[in-house]
Amino acid sequence: MEIIILIVILLLAGAWFLQLREEKEDGRELRDILPIYKVEEDCILSKNGDITVAFELTLPEIFSLSRDDYETMHQNWVKAIRLLPKHSVLHKQDWFCRATYEDEDNNYKPSFLSSKAAGYFKGRPYLEHHSYLMLTKKPQGRKLSTSVMNNLMKHSIIPEEVTDKNKFHSFLDTVGQFEKILSEGGFIKLKRLHSEDIIGSKNKPGILEQYLYLLSPNDKPVLKDIELKPEWKIGENFLQLYTLADMENLPAGCSPWVTFDKYSTDKTKFPLGFSASVGHLLSCNHVFNQYIFVNDVSQTLKKMESKRRRLESLSTYSRENAISSEAVNSFLNESISQGRLPVKASFNLMVWTENREEIKDLRGMTSAALAQMDALPKEETRASAPLWWAGLPGNEADFPMNDTFDTFAEQAVCFLNMEGMSKSTSPDKGIRFSDRLTGRPLYLDLYDAPRTEGISANMGTLVCGTSGGGKSMTVNHILRSLYDQGAHCVTVDIGGSYKGLCELVGGYYFTYEEKNPIRFNPFYLPEGEILDTEKKESLKSLLVSLWKQEHESFNRSEYVALSNALTGYYKTLPSISLSPLGERGIFPCFNSFYEYLQDDYKKTLREHHVKDKDFDVDNFLYVLRPYYKNGEFDYLLNATENLDLLNQPFIVFELDNIKDHPILFPVVTLVIMELFISKMRRLQGARKVLTIDEAWKAIAKSGMAEFLKYAFKTIRKFNGIPIVITQELDDLVSSPVIKDAIINNADVKILMDMRKFLNKFGKLQETLGLSDKGKTQVLSVNKDNREIYISIGGQKDIVVKNELCPEEYFAFTTEGKERVKVRTYAEKYGGMEKGIEQLIKAIHQQKS
């Protein structure tokens, strides 16, 4: 009896002592229990002697990986984990924080459209993602922590010095090998965090402050109260913790990737990381903690073997024991026969919100995200504090081991978050698109960075999509962006798709009218210019196009004769006035060239005994007679006005009225290209953009095709970007001209929604040289969401939104009724800018 009374007294005393201790520790200072001893040599040293090295990870963009990519990354992770020494911890911590988009600064003067777009996208919400990796080496003999006893419960911690420098540097060598293997393939980039990144500064929080006070790297350092009871709060934020640690709550199976049904089709399976549902797809503030513990393998297997025997001996008493014994036996067999690395793992999801009323919605969102992984959601209450505390960088060794489960490295790696957020470059260098998941503006450098990185060899661009798929909208947007960045843009258009943009930027807009036909003078050389090879080649291509039909041959002697004719003609020009008002009234143009052939060059041919079969000059003059004085097309090549196209950065030639003309359309297109090449030669350093929209009738001529091949290969040498647009699938699949002249020289391919060609996509894939990964991404494009697919050099594939602000939409629209409205308002209010603004205002008033 006395013994029982003594035990009761001791229990009551213990309870009183614990209550007293709890009361004393209520409101204690964080620094009194902080387990971090110091940061030395860019390593975190804990008061228990743990050494932690921290990295910031740059992960591949979400929706950009193929199934093979996921498998490769998975293998790299497993190989890297196998390098870690026993008694080490891998802690991957992915932060997803709500943020709002702020317009980035640019160095060029904002235009009307760019200013409106900045206001439209400002404040758009999205999830900002940061990924950190902590590798911790525990000292040998360190006592394991549990959810009941860890350093959070201790009143004080006795510091323990790390004195063994050999073990310290040996661990750092292993970390270096780990980093090298994980970086293989270029999927993941690791940046070692230095002391300031860990402990922070006056203006920037380190990763310790970020975790303790729920700060993003861009926030200012601030101290917040941390409350664990009666409800969990950090500052004004209410937190909840969900765990994946109990075997009965885990998914029945796992894999490096799963099929994302939203972007899949009957022919393709769109891959996504196994844990993506608790990563980017969970649209709330959250931290996803992923732990993998590497222990002594021999000791682990020895304990498992002991457990198997115990369960086997008890199997006669319970079917559950028999099943468990069989499971442990299978685990041991797989570990030994297949060389698997047994590890312990645990994963938890920490979510928070500032609004207490949102907690219920938060619980539903998180539970649904976990359920998508086929996991049973478990909200942690009892052990939330020690689990949160163990997530502090440098304190991973204090993780409660009773909240882990046994598995192999291959399975544990499946639970790691593999994707990062979409990357954006500087507005000065990129084209603005939008992230397909959140709508956050992204600036993509399609031309300079890919060539610097060796991804692409040229800047040729092919744009393909069905009618109404958004081709013209996309190209309008690209041209406007390049123009704002200082590029000179020359566009050959059919259908008036670029008239609104041309007027907005104050460019030159040429269209063919019977009373006012387009006039050119490709023979005119501005003062100071000479007849170089490029000029001569373009003129020869033009003359051959006028002289020969497609089926007619063009032999070497004729090529030489035309070349000599041009050389001889321009040698006579120094004695001729370069002004149409010169004393002799002679001016460089087709008329004067024709007269030179009639007189001087005929004499030269006779003197050199050139026969008609080698060059029939009379036939040449007869065929080209319509372009000479008083001929049917005498206006076309004999302009006397000096149109200064060189210094005009935006020019559109709208050729809809002559698109079916067998002579004018190809000739005018060739002349325009000659003008563009003149721009290239003289505007050193400036970017030039040549856009051909639906000009396939001209391309069908072999002479034009050869010129295009020449131009596509030459333009890049002058910082030029050729862009070709089509909506006909058969053009791409069946035309060798297009394939040879364009596709092979277009490293940038932009495709719209192709789902209507799902059953005959094979030929298109072969023609464009798309990989299976590219095919999967192309067929995931949804035009209703304004999505487009971009391939750069066949190595980088991405799907983005071409989302426009209302002002951009009405400036670029090609829909008939909308174009009429825009034109009506522009005429009424005295210009495109005022007209578009008033049109949008009227639409808003109608809606309200």
Side-chain angles (χ1 to χ4, degrees), residues 165-181:
K165 293 295 182 182
N166 290 330
K167 290 184 178 180
F168 178 78
H169 290 293
S170 175
F171 177 62
L172 292 184
D173 290 341
T174 302
V175 169
Q177 297 173 41
F178 180 98
E179 180 181 1
K180 183 178 180 181
I181 288 180

Side-chain angles (χ1 to χ4, degrees), residues 467-649:
S467 179
K471 299 184 304 301
S472 297
M473 286 279 190
T474 300
V475 177
N476 262 289
H477 179 55
I478 292 174
L479 292 180
R480 196 271 299 173
S481 301
L482 293 172
Y483 170 82
D484 282 352
Q485 295 167 11
H488 280 241
C489 305
V490 176
T491 303
V492 182
D493 181 27
I494 294 178
S497 300
Y498 305 91
K499 187 173 185 179
L501 175 60
C502 187
E503 187 171 333
L504 272 175
V505 300
Y508 289 171
Y509 191 83
F510 297 95
T511 186
Y512 184 91
E513 298 174 355
E514 287 293 336
K515 296 182 179 179
N516 186 25
I518 297 177
R519 293 178 172 85
F520 301 99
N521 190 348
F523 293 87
Y524 181 81
L525 288 178
E527 187 174 354
E529 283 198 16
I530 60 173
L531 181 69
D532 56 18
T533 302
E534 289 179 353
K535 179 70 173 179
K536 187 186 293 186
E537 290 296 328
S538 65
L539 285 174
K540 279 190 285 185
S541 297
L542 171 64
L543 293 172
V544 170
S545 176
L546 296 173
W547 182 25
K548 299 281 188 178
Q549 294 187 13
E550 184 178 2
H551 63 274
E552 292 183 282
S553 62
F554 179 59
N555 58 44
R556 179 67 179 171
S557 60
E558 292 171 329
Y559 176 90
V560 172
L562 281 180
S563 185
N564 290 337
L566 289 168
T567 302
Y569 168 68
Y570 278 97
K571 281 183 178 179
T572 67
L573 290 184
S575 61
I576 301 176
S577 170
L578 293 181
S579 167
L581 301 179
E583 293 180 1
R584 298 175 58 186
I586 301 174
F587 181 67
C589 58
F590 179 77
N591 284 343
S592 58
F593 176 69
Y594 190 91
E595 290 165 358
Y596 168 77
L597 293 177
Q598 280 183 318
D599 302 326
D600 297 352
Y601 196 58
K602 264 191 173 184
K603 294 178 183 177
T604 302
L605 293 175
R606 285 196 296 268
E607 291 173 0
H608 289 82
H609 306 288
V610 176
K611 298 179 181 179
D612 288 348
K613 67 176 183 177
D614 296 321
F615 180 62
D616 191 345
V617 65
D618 290 324
N619 176 266
F620 181 87
L621 292 172
Y622 177 76
V623 174
L624 269 65
R625 181 66 181 80
Y627 304 97
Y628 183 58
K629 293 177 183 177
N630 301 319
E632 183 181 0
F633 307 114
D634 63 345
Y635 55 84
L636 189 61
L637 304 175
N638 292 294
T640 56
E641 62 274 15
N642 185 16
L643 298 176
D644 186 16
L645 301 179
L646 179 67
N647 297 312
Q648 172 51 249

